[in-house]
Amino acid sequence: QVQVVQSGGGLVQAGGSLRLSCTVSGTLFNINGMGWYRQAPGKQRELVATITRGGSTNYADSVKGRFTISRDNAENTVYLQMNSMKPEDTAEYYCHADSKDKDDGSEYNYWGQGTQVTVSS
């Protein structure tokens, strides 16, 4: 069975830092893309950052220059280093990963349980 386990999160003051981690285990095929999404109360879930297996990254405009996504392919782990945090970063953060069956083209998506990040002013 597939497990997606997140850690990190919590309460920080504006200008502070937090580091999130997420490990995916039990998958039948190699993990391709990994990333982080967040959802604030009353708002849509939005993409924060993604990273391919080869290391190509993509960031939401709101976090560019402040957040850094990285991954360890050997451990199927993705990280999100959040610096210079702002109150608007407050949200539930979710880890995401995907894989594909090269034989039949089937795609699989996995989500973490979510972790609360709160930034006080």
Side-chain angles (χ1 to χ4, degrees), residues 4 8 17 19 21 27-28 31 36-37 52 60-61 64 89 114:
V4 183
S17 299
R19 183 176 175 86
S21 65
T27 57
L28 182 61
I31 299 297
W36 295 92
Y37 293 74
T52 67
D61 289 340
K64 287 181 179 177
D89 294 322

Side-chain angles (χ1 to χ4, degrees), residues 53-72:
R53 188 172 183 82
S56 180
T57 59
N58 183 55
Y59 296 92
D61 289 340
S62 60
V63 307
K64 287 181 179 177
R66 299 188 298 117
F67 292 9
T68 301
I69 188 171
S70 60
R71 66 186 288 175
D72 183 335

Side-chain angles (χ1 to χ4, degrees), residues 2-120:
V2 177
Q3 287 190 312
V4 183
V5 181
Q6 299 181 212
S7 63
L11 174 65
V12 298
Q13 292 183 317
S17 299
L18 283 175
R19 183 176 175 86
L20 306 180
S21 65
C22 173
T23 298
V24 181
S25 63
T27 57
L28 182 61
F29 308 106
N30 288 338
I31 299 297
N32 299 128
M34 302 187 82
W36 295 92
Y37 293 74
R38 67 186 182 187
Q39 186 169 24
K43 300 183 67 177
Q44 300 275 62
R45 182 174 296 187
E46 64 175 348
L47 183 149
V48 177
T50 60
I51 183 168
T52 67
R53 188 172 183 82
S56 180
T57 59
N58 183 55
Y59 296 92
D61 289 340
S62 60
V63 307
K64 287 181 179 177
R66 299 188 298 117
F67 292 9
T68 301
I69 188 171
S70 60
R71 66 186 288 175
D72 183 335
N73 292 332
E75 299 293 333
N76 279 338
T77 299
V78 62
Y79 305 92
L80 185 68
Q81 178 66 46
M82 303 182 288
N83 298 325
S84 301
M85 299 190 73
K86 304 175 180 180
E88 48 263 48
D89 294 322
T90 296
E92 187 85 358
Y93 283 70
Y94 298 89
C95 172
H96 174 263
D98 65 78
S99 64
K100 184 176 182 178
D101 184 343
K102 295 182 180 180
D103 292 327
D104 62 13
S106 298
E107 296 184 347
Y108 303 90
N109 292 278
Y110 312 103
W111 290 92
Q113 78 280 12
T115 185
Q116 180 65 39
V117 170
T118 302
V119 185
S120 61

